[in-house]
Amino acid sequence: MNIEECRAMTEHVHSDGAGMIEHRRTPARPEGGSWPKESKKIQNVSRYWRLSFAASCLGIGLLLSAPAGCDDRPSTVAKAIPRVRVFVVGKQATGQSRRISGKVEAADRSPLSFGVKGTVIEVIVEPGQAVAEGQLLAQLDAEPLRLQLEEARAHLSTSRAQLVEAEATYRRTSKLFKQRGASQKEVDAATASLATSNGDLKAAQGALEQAELDLARTNMTAPFAGQIVQVLVDPFQEVTANDQAIVLQAAGALEIAVRVPETMIREVDFGQVVQATFPSLEGVTVKGLVTTIGADSESGNAFPVTVRLSASEADLRPGMTASVTFNFSAYLDGRTVYLIPLSAIAIDAGLLAPTKPSSEQGSAGNQAPVFVYDSAAGVVRLKRVAVGDLRGNEIEVYDGLQPGDQVVSAGVTFLRDGMKAAVWRRR
């Protein structure tokens, strides 16, 4: 039905309705009067029906008069081809990096003890307090050792007197022996007595020196300037010569203690330069030198290694966590290892999968998914590559890529294998 047919039908309805209304209408309206109520109701119903039917037909005609091509061609929206940023493979790794966590420590850290047995009467310092070299830290009760010192002095005086007497006896006996007034036996006895007296004197002198030293050890002083780390004793506590009382660390020089696995320890050398970073200090990198390498492994078949830091940041403190990076060129063994951006790993396409390392892969024991752009087909291809360790914002690739491959480095989350894409280029 087109709009002309609908209009004709509307006119026909109008005419039929008018005839019907005329048929039901009263013969004539009285002069000066009005139509009866029933006639008005019939007239209103007829007008409403005619208008409604006409509007419906007109709407149908407008819909039917629309272009026929709209029904035949469904509307289509062109799909936009995503543009991706790519990284051209070609950067080779010059060596392998290993990052090992450790702990910052003071280069000079000493647990202090009194060196003698006694009772603590005073602790002068507190943890965290800075002290100068020679400063008094704590004291023992010195009275018992002072008495021992007096006894040692008295014993020394007695020994000296005995020595004087033994020397006189020896000289007298020797003179008499020359005059045939004393026997050889008496001379030998005088000689032995003189030797004994000399020995007693030396022992008494040593005992006096030890008593003086023990008395001095009742005062604990700082052997170097630094900071108090721990105080392990309290007043009126009984201590022995081997009990640690205070832990003191030197100010300034710092080092990092790490444990290197047995598979890497052969590559660590004295004086090797390393890089140290600190999670709590963003952007801080400090160089260090390997100063000590443990001869025996500890827990987990790891060897203790000490790294002395070449410089200390103002905010760097003992006890902080550190990350030490070792660079080992020998790990490559002539193999080609490429570096790609870490952002190229398509985590949503599959998590890192552990694999058994091959002789060619060396230390590579993981596979990771990446998207490689196929410029001939204009699509991205999902590929799994053998990866190694992280190097900052890059990751080592041991197998699966060739020089010149275009690895998608941004927007990998929205890609799928075989999806059409275009390379984003800066205008």
Side-chain angles (χ1 to χ4, degrees), residues 84 86 117-118 135 159 175 299 322 324 366 401:
V84 295
V86 297
K117 181 180 178 180
Q135 181 176 336
S159 298
K175 184 177 180 181
S299 60
V324 181
N366 286 319
L401 294 177

Side-chain angles (χ1 to χ4, degrees), residues 140-161:
L140 289 180
D141 183 7
E143 190 60 28
L145 295 176
R146 190 174 292 109
L147 294 176
Q148 292 181 10
L149 178 61
E150 294 299 329
E151 290 178 1
R153 287 173 178 170
H155 182 64
L156 179 61
S157 298
T158 302
S159 298
R160 285 174 176 169

Side-chain angles (χ1 to χ4, degrees), residues 167-237:
E167 287 176 345
T169 302
Y170 175 75
R171 286 193 298 268
R172 184 174 61 253
T173 305
S174 297
K175 184 177 180 181
L176 291 174
F177 178 75
K178 292 179 181 179
Q179 297 174 356
R180 297 179 183 271
S183 64
Q184 183 66 42
K185 184 177 180 180
E186 291 175 333
V187 174
D188 292 340
T191 303
S193 178
L194 178 60
T196 301
S197 297
N198 276 319
D200 288 344
L201 179 61
K202 291 180 179 179
Q205 289 175 338
L208 178 61
E209 292 175 357
Q210 184 63 47
E212 291 174 345
L213 181 60
D214 289 345
L215 182 61
R217 285 176 174 172
T218 58
N219 293 331
M220 179 182 291
T221 58
F224 49 81
Q227 187 177 28
I228 302 298
V229 179
Q230 287 179 296
V231 176
L232 305 174
V233 294
D234 296 314
F236 309 108
Q237 179 179 340

Side-chain angles (χ1 to χ4, degrees), residues 333-344:
D333 296 331
R335 293 176 290 113
T336 301
V337 178
Y338 297 103
L339 297 177
I340 65 173
L342 184 60
S343 59

Side-chain angles (χ1 to χ4, degrees), residues 82-104:
R83 294 185 178 272
V84 295
R85 181 173 294 180
V86 297
F87 173 85
V88 180
V89 176
K91 183 179 180 181
Q92 297 184 12
T94 56
Q96 191 170 34
S97 296
R98 292 297 191 198
R99 188 172 293 178
I100 302 176
S101 296
K103 184 180 180 182
V104 179

Side-chain angles (χ1 to χ4, degrees), residues 365-424:
N366 286 319
Q367 283 193 347
V370 298
F371 285 100
V372 178
Y373 181 71
D374 185 350
S375 57
V379 297
V380 292
R381 308 287 187 190
L382 182 63
K383 216 172 188 184
R384 287 189 175 272
V385 296
V387 297
D389 291 331
L390 293 176
R391 299 198 185 186
N393 294 325
E394 295 178 319
I395 190 169
E396 301 170 346
V397 177
Y398 287 82
D399 190 23
L401 294 177
Q402 299 294 329
D405 285 349
Q406 301 182 69
V407 179
V408 179
S409 59
V412 296
T413 306
F414 306 99
L415 300 180
R416 296 295 180 268
D417 186 26
M419 178 183 290
K420 286 188 174 296
V423 176
W424 177 85

Side-chain angles (χ1 to χ4, degrees), residues 90-144:
K91 183 179 180 181
Q92 297 184 12
T94 56
Q96 191 170 34
S97 296
R98 292 297 191 198
R99 188 172 293 178
I100 302 176
S101 296
K103 184 180 180 182
V104 179
E105 297 178 352
D108 296 321
R109 182 186 178 101
S110 300
L112 306 179
S113 59
F114 286 99
V116 293
K117 181 180 178 180
T119 302
V120 180
I121 61 171
E122 186 179 14
V123 178
I124 303 172
V125 294
E126 298 178 351
Q129 180 178 341
V131 296
E133 182 179 354
Q135 181 176 336
L136 184 63
L137 307 180
Q139 288 182 308
L140 289 180
D141 183 7
E143 190 60 28

